[in-house]
Amino acid sequence: MYRDMELEVDNVEYNPGKETMWWGTLGTVRPFDPFDPNLDARRIYVALENKTVDVMALIKILTNRTNAQRQNIAEVYSNLVQKDLYAVLKKGLSGPVQELLLALMMTPAHFDAHRLRHSMEGLGTDEETLLEVLCTRSPEQLRDITMAYKEAYGRYLENDLISETSKDFAKLVLAVLKSDPGNEYTCVECAADSSLSYQQKEELNTPGEIDYQLIDQDVKSLKDAVGGKKPDSTPWIQVLTSRNSDHLNRVLSRIEDLKGEPIDKTLQTHFSGDLRLGLRTLVRSIQNTPLYLAQRLQACMKKNAVVRGIMVSRSEEDLLWVRVHFRKLTNISLYSTIQVSYTLLS
């Protein structure tokens, strides 16, 4: 069945700027019907109360319900046994299965907040995971993540990002966090002055409308920024975090035509370090988020946290499209690759 779905999706044009009913069906997890949270809660209770926890029963239920349905189950479970389901799962399970089921029980915003916190904890920062989360979420999702982060950890996400990053990379990360495509004030300015509100910004380019004058302006600005002896990252950060994806894809395509090379090569040539990684990640996510995530899965298949993070966070959005791109990249299905790479109950 999933193979047929992949073939069907393969014939649909990827257009992240176009909202269609079809786009909303590209998740692999759909609402379970008929859904009975009381029955699910009782079955989970039985699975957890066994002398040996019935892991397969838990997996069968929780991986076949949407996040909203899981939250409903958790509420019913709490009323039924006067215990928090998340806490019970954490106590009764261990290893990769525990990590997966706990991830499924978090709301999307709290799971992303969890991933961001984990990427900044301990020695060193996991820049790739930090960028993956920030660059592939909408402004609305990023605002939800920011609130969830404060609620879960009693810390301000912006402050932690500032402490874990530096120089132009810090400007880029904060600009992405505060991005509001279509607005006049640059996100670099927002990063420098957090008192600026979204309401203070004037709309500059409207989604769905082609502003050829602004395209020409942005193309010139970005080309000039890498045309001298020392590249200037400010225009790149400003444009990439303050325009909608349709506009940016036209700008990036025009630059590729003019320079005769992919944008990715331009960024590799003119920038370095974490800033280069950040700009490349942001551009890849703008051009084709599912392809970027498929490439990340291919490169990080042995990293449990990365695979889990992508599979859980994209399961109701575009995971089917990620699977299509993964098959194109590797000639092997994502399903089969995960089967080979992981032992379910290890």
Side-chain angles (χ1 to χ4, degrees), residues 92-218:
L93 301 171
S94 62
V97 171
Q98 180 207 60
E99 293 168 343
L100 172 63
L101 296 186
L102 291 181
L104 289 170
M105 291 309 303
M106 297 181 197
T107 65
H110 277 89
F111 181 55
D112 284 338
H114 167 79
R115 294 188 70 200
L116 288 172
R117 181 65 189 146
H118 184 73
S119 74
M120 293 184 282
E121 282 184 322
L123 295 175
T125 300
D126 180 357
E127 290 88 359
E128 291 187 359
T129 295
L130 188 152
L131 288 166
E132 177 213 312
V133 175
L134 294 179
C135 292
T136 60
R137 303 303 188 262
S138 70
E140 293 76 18
Q141 288 173 320
L142 289 172
R143 289 194 283 273
D144 290 342
I145 292 166
T146 299
M147 290 187 289
Y149 192 93
K150 180 65 167 64
E151 180 181 326
Y153 305 108
R155 306 167 65 95
Y156 291 100
L157 176 57
E158 182 176 351
N159 291 345
D160 282 352
L161 290 173
I162 291 171
S163 69
E164 294 294 328
T165 59
S166 61
K167 300 180 180 178
D168 286 345
F169 182 58
K171 293 179 181 178
L172 173 64
V173 168
L174 292 175
V176 173
L177 179 66
K178 293 177 173 291
S179 63
D180 196 14
N183 288 316
E184 180 178 13
Y185 283 91
T186 71
C187 292
V188 178
E189 291 168 343
C190 292
D193 183 358
S194 60
S195 66
L196 289 175
S197 70
Y198 293 103
Q199 287 72 26
Q200 287 176 289
K201 304 173 183 178
E202 288 184 15
E203 189 172 286
L204 186 60
N205 65 312
T206 305
E209 296 182 4
I210 301 176
D211 188 337
Y212 293 103
Q213 182 177 354
L214 185 60
I215 290 173
D216 292 340
Q217 174 185 315
D218 287 343

Side-chain angles (χ1 to χ4, degrees), residues 1-12 22 24-30 315 319-325 327:
M1 179 183 71
Y2 288 117
R3 170 60 177 158
D4 293 339
M5 291 170 69
E6 287 180 0
L7 289 173
E8 191 174 359
V9 171
D10 196 22
N11 294 321
V12 179
W22 181 211
T25 68
L26 292 178
T28 54
V29 175
R30 315 286 176 83
S315 62
L319 186 54
L320 186 54
W321 202 292
V322 175
R323 290 173 55 160
V324 169
H325 282 294
R327 181 183 285 276

Side-chain angles (χ1 to χ4, degrees), residues 331-344:
N331 292 319
I332 305 172
S333 73
L334 180 57
Y335 183 93
S336 298
T337 303
I338 290 176
Q339 273 191 318
V340 171
S341 300
Y342 293 93
T343 301
L344 182 60

